């Protein structure tokens, strides 16, 4: 049976439980242990698929098609274990299962209650996800004291009793530095641990987030008031790259404390790959600027996997990537001057009509001026629309998501472009809006002779999807006649997956989300070559002159 490490947080949210969990998992994996991670989210949504990116950040999609919390993206970037729908449970998903069992009569007429029925479902979900691993890290979303977190905290308290020496509690808390007083304050941590102990959980390890390194005296004070051994009070100060955190935690002996406490048989940690990643980040030889033209750019977490993938793309060639985030709506009324300093342009995924024309405008600029362009999901669809309008001469070409009455629906729901009678699918108001997308890993066949085929180095690839609308096959011939290459399709050739412009220095767009499989240690072929193309464009550009 797996050993369980429970990660909780206190005082405030967004302290970095996900990064801390992933970092410790990376160290344990470097010690030869097989590790997985689980995120328990207290919100009532069944999954984050229908939540606004402004509120929740990006939706991370797993290989098996689950729409999950963005922390699962951190998990996959730090460890080699691939996540699945078993690795993320919400209050909504747990209650959905409990209610389904009650309706089937599985509880044999018992009064269904939070304890034991809801907590048993949580425990069962955790244990199912942990099967086959040496260690499972269980992260509880939110903060201690939140009313919605209580069933999860009670469930892990029970698991702690049941697993005994094979369970460990790690609590992440804030130790603020007050500049006016010139002091670090430990009282919030004391109260956070007091709250945790009031529900029956005694932390074994404290990770203390602070602007400054904790002095020995402060660590002793925290240990005294929280009943945690002094060596288990770990400083978690801010660093300039999240990929340095495994090294930093290892230097403080966190993994040794865990291995000893859980009686694990582990090898010495081999963190050479993480040291190499950090060295490449700290010692770049070049810098490029990528303009990301999106509609959620105000929220840093909305494109989390994407911004990380761009940075990963430059590591092999020691290229630092500066990302200029441009709100696509701002390009609709204004000019494209904001794009002039960009070495490359990327249009990411998204939904809805807001800012669509700004994306089309940015794509036209990239196409006409030879600026390297990468379009992802919605970015591919917008590229098809732009090409249809301005190269193929199809006035009014659009996606039916934007204009259902478009005379040239080059992008549409598959039911729209497959139905020659012209009947348009309408969504039943009672239908499950979160269940109407193409999700998860799907196979794609790459065309021989295409740039994409050469980058991946193989004919058939598997990438993750999250979208509803598709390239309209009725327009394949006309776009190809005007110079667009259909570089990738589904293996049965019914769905367009990748497009290229062969007469452009670098213009590639894909219907899938390659950012979900990019990692700092390996990168991703599309992002690596995109960043290399940006550097080449920069070096060919006359200093001080826009790339026109």
């Amino acid at each position: 049976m797996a050993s369980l490490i429970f990660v909780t947080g206190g005082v405030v949210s967004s302290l970095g439980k996900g990064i801390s969990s992933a970092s410790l998992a990376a160290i344990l994996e470097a010690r030869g242990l097989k590790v997985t991670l689980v995120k328990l989210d207290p919100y009532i949504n069944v999954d984050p698929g229908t939540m606004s990116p402004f509120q929740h950040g990006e939706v991370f999609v797993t290989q098996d098609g689950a729409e999950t919390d963005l922390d699962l993206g951190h998990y996959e970037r730090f460890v080699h274990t691939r996540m699945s729908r078993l690795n993320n449970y919400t209050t909504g998903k747990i209650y959905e299962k409990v209610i389904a069992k009650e309706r089937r009569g599985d509880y044999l007429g018992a009064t269904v209650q939070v304890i034991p029925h809801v907590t048993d479902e949580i425990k069962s979900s955790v244990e199912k996800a942990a099967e086959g691993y040496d260690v499972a890290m269980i992260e509880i979303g939110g903060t201690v004291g939140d009313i919605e977190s209580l069933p999860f905290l009670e469930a892990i308290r029970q698991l702690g009793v049941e697993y005994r020496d094979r369970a460990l509690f790690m609590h992440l808390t804030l130790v603020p530095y007050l500049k006016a007083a010139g002091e670090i304050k430990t009282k919030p941590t004391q109260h956070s641990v007091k709250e945790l102990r009031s529900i029956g959980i005694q932390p074994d390890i404290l990770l203390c987030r602070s602007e400054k390194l904790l002095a020995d005296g402060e660590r002793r004070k925290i240990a005294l008031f929280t009943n945690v051994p002094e060596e288990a009070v770990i400083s978690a100060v801010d660093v300039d790259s999240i990929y340095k955190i495994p090294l930093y935690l290892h230097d403080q002996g966190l993994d040794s404390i865990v291995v000893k406490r859980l009686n694990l048989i582990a090898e010495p940690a081999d963190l050479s790959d993480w040291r190499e990643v950090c060295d490449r980040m700290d010692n770049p030889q070049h810098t490029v600027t990528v303009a990301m033209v999106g509609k959620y750019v105000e929220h840093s977490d909305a494109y989390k996997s994407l911004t990380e993938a761009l940075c990963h793309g430059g590591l092999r060639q020691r290229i630092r990537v500066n990302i200029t985030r441009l709100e696509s709506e701002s390009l609709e009324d204004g000019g494209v001057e904001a794009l002039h300093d960009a070495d490359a342009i990327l249009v990411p995924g998204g939904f809805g009509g807001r800012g669509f024309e700004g994306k089309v405008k940015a794509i036209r600029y990239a196409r006409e001026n030879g600026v390297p362009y990468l379009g992802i999901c919605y970015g591919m669809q917008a590229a098809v629309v732009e090409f249809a309008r301005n190269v193929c001469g199809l006035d009014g070409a659009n996606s039916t998501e934007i204009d259902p009455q478009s005379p040239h629906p080059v992008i549409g729901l598959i039911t729209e472009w497959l139905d020659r009678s012209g009947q348009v699918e309408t969504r039943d108001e009672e239908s499950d809006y979160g269940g109407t997308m193409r999700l998860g890993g799907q196979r794609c066949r790459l065309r021989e002779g295409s740039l994409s085929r050469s980058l991946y180095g193989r004919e058939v690839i598997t990438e993750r999807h999250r979208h509803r609308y598709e390239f309209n096959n009725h327009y394949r011939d006309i776009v190809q006649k005007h110079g667009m290459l259909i570089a990738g399709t589904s293996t049965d050739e019914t769905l367009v997956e990748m497009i290229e412009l062969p007469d452009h220095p670098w213009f590639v767009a894909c219907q899938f989300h390659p950012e979900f499989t990019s990692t700092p240690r390996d990168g991703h072929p599309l992002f690596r070559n995109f960043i290399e193309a940006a550097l080449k464009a920069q070096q060919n550009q006359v200093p001080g002159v826009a790339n026109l």
Side-chain angles (χ1 to χ4, degrees):
M1 294 178 68
S3 293
L4 305 180
I5 301 176
F6 301 105
V7 183
T8 56
V11 186
V12 295
S13 59
S14 301
L15 281 179
K17 294 191 301 297
I19 296 293
S20 300
S21 300
S23 297
L24 176 55
I27 310 172
L28 295 177
E29 187 180 74
R31 298 192 64 158
L33 296 169
K34 190 177 180 183
V35 186
T36 191
L37 301 99
V38 180
K39 178 70 182 293
L40 301 179
D41 275 309
Y43 51 76
I44 299 176
N45 305 63
V46 173
D47 60 46
T50 57
M51 295 170 71
S52 167
F54 289 115
Q55 284 192 15
H56 192 73
E58 78 168 7
V59 174
F60 186 81
V61 179
T62 60
Q63 186 70 14
D64 63 351
E67 294 178 285
T68 69
D69 185 80
L70 61 82
D71 276 325
L72 271 73
H74 291 313
Y75 301 164
E76 289 207 357
R77 286 187 283 274
F78 277 79
V79 300
H80 291 107
T81 303
R82 299 301 87 183
M83 302 297 119
S84 73
R85 61 184 67 252
L86 296 177
N87 297 90
N88 191 197
Y89 286 92
T90 67
T91 294
K93 189 178 292 185
I94 294 295
Y95 272 84
E96 186 180 54
K97 289 188 173 185
V98 170
I99 291 170
K101 288 182 177 180
E102 184 273 329
R103 291 290 84 189
R104 291 196 304 266
D106 291 4
Y107 297 122
L108 303 177
T111 300
V112 181
Q113 297 176 292
V114 172
I115 303 173
H117 302 99
V118 171
T119 52
D120 281 353
E121 190 64 42
I122 295 169
K123 289 158 60 180
S124 173
S125 299
V126 166
E127 292 180 316
K128 188 174 182 180
E131 286 179 7
Y133 293 91
D134 299 317
V135 178
M137 302 201 59
I138 318 299
E139 177 193 348
I140 313 300
T143 59
V144 172
D146 296 342
I147 190 170
E148 59 265 32
S149 299
L150 288 175
F152 290 110
L153 294 172
E154 170 59 21
I156 67 173
R157 183 198 67 77
Q158 294 177 21
L159 284 170
V161 173
E162 294 168 12
Y163 276 65
R164 298 190 179 185
D165 291 341
R166 290 184 295 106
L168 180 152
F169 292 92
M170 186 168 74
H171 189 56
L172 184 65
T173 185
L174 178 67
V175 182
Y177 173 71
L178 300 185
K179 292 181 180 179
E183 294 178 342
I184 285 178
K185 294 295 184 182
T186 64
K187 191 63 70 176
T189 293
Q190 296 175 38
H191 282 289
S192 179
V193 174
K194 180 181 178 182
E195 183 75 25
L196 191 61
R197 294 174 69 183
S198 72
I199 57 177
I201 297 174
Q202 167 62 48
D204 300 288
I205 297 171
L206 291 181
L207 287 187
C208 300
R209 283 297 306 271
S210 180
E211 293 181 32
K212 295 182 176 290
L213 194 68
L214 294 182
D216 290 343
E218 289 152 349
R219 292 175 64 244
R220 280 194 295 270
K221 183 178 180 181
I222 291 173
L224 179 65
F225 279 96
T226 59
N227 202 31
V228 173
E230 184 179 338
E231 65 272 14
V233 179
I234 307 294
S235 285
V237 296
D238 296 340
V239 292
D240 58 357
S241 168
I242 58 175
Y243 303 119
K244 293 181 179 178
I245 297 176
L247 302 176
Y248 190 79
L249 296 179
H250 172 67
D251 288 343
Q252 295 187 73
L254 176 60
D255 53 304
S256 296
I257 295 171
V258 170
V259 167
K260 182 178 179 180
R261 169 67 175 74
L262 295 175
N263 297 311
L264 298 170
I265 300 173
E267 306 165 0
D270 179 7
L271 295 171
S272 56
D273 51 354
W274 290 108
R275 297 187 196 282
E276 177 69 14
V277 166
C278 294
D279 178 69
R280 290 179 178 275
M281 296 188 77
D282 286 344
N283 298 286
Q285 296 175 354
H286 310 280
T287 300
V288 300
T289 298
V290 174
M292 182 192 297
V293 183
K295 55 190 294 186
Y296 312 118
V297 293
E298 295 177 7
H299 195 308
S300 61
D301 281 345
Y303 300 114
K304 192 63 178 177
S305 291
L306 194 50
T307 55
E308 293 299 312
L310 286 169
C311 294
H312 304 162
L315 289 180
R316 175 181 290 183
Q317 299 286 345
R318 292 185 181 270
I319 304 171
R320 174 173 288 153
V321 181
N322 291 331
I323 302 172
T324 301
R325 294 171 172 83
L326 298 176
E327 172 59 59
S328 56
E329 273 187 304
S330 69
L331 298 181
E332 292 183 345
D333 299 326
V336 292
E337 291 78 12
L339 298 172
H340 288 177
D341 294 329
D343 301 310
I345 295 171
L346 183 147
V347 173
F351 295 93
R354 184 177 67 81
F356 181 76
E357 292 302 324
K359 296 181 178 184
V360 171
K361 202 170 185 179
I363 295 167
R364 182 173 187 177
Y365 174 85
R367 179 181 59 79
E368 293 181 344
N369 294 293
V371 180
Y373 173 76
L374 176 58
I376 294 176
C377 194
Y378 208 39
M380 187 192 96
Q381 296 173 6
V384 172
V385 169
E386 190 281 325
F387 191 85
R389 291 178 186 174
N390 300 314
V391 178
C392 302
L394 301 178
D395 292 339
N398 217 325
S399 165
T400 57
E401 182 179 9
I402 313 301
D403 179 10
Q405 306 304 319
S406 170
H408 295 291
V410 292
I411 302 294
L413 294 171
I414 191 169
T415 50
E416 295 172 351
W417 55 258
L418 285 180
D419 188 352
R420 292 187 177 276
S421 70
Q423 294 296 313
V424 176
E425 178 188 66
T426 57
R427 187 176 69 86
D428 184 348
E429 291 301 318
E430 299 300 319
S431 69
D432 178 4
Y433 196 73
T436 59
M437 291 193 287
R438 189 149 68 101
L439 287 165
Q442 314 233 344
R443 292 178 6 125
C444 167
R445 175 170 285 113
L446 301 178
R447 183 169 175 173
E448 188 173 357
S450 66
L451 173 62
S452 301
R453 174 78 171 265
S454 67
L455 296 181
Y456 279 95
R458 57 186 186 275
E459 180 183 5
V460 178
I461 61 172
T462 300
E463 293 280 12
R464 303 179 194 180
H465 294 68
R466 184 177 184 253
H467 61 96
R468 293 185 180 88
Y469 291 80
E470 305 280 357
F471 184 107
N472 187 336
N473 279 341
H474 295 160
Y475 290 89
R476 273 201 200 187
D477 290 343
I478 189 169
V479 298
Q480 291 183 104
K481 178 182 177 182
H482 284 81
M484 177 177 284
L485 176 68
I486 305 299
T489 64
S490 56
T491 51
D492 62 3
E493 299 189 354
T494 59
L495 300 172
V496 172
E497 295 280 30
M498 298 190 75
I499 62 167
E500 299 175 9
L501 297 183
D503 60 351
H504 189 281
W506 205 97
F507 193 107
V508 177
C510 52
Q511 186 60 77
F512 47 78
H513 290 266
E515 69 270 25
F516 290 148
T517 51
S518 176
T519 69
R521 290 178 281 187
D522 301 319
H524 187 285
L526 281 182
F527 288 100
R528 289 198 303 262
N529 200 248
F530 177 56
I531 298 305
E532 290 168 9
L535 179 62
K536 183 178 179 181
Q538 180 194 83
Q539 293 174 340
N540 290 338
Q541 185 175 337
V542 179
V545 178
N547 194 17
L548 298 175

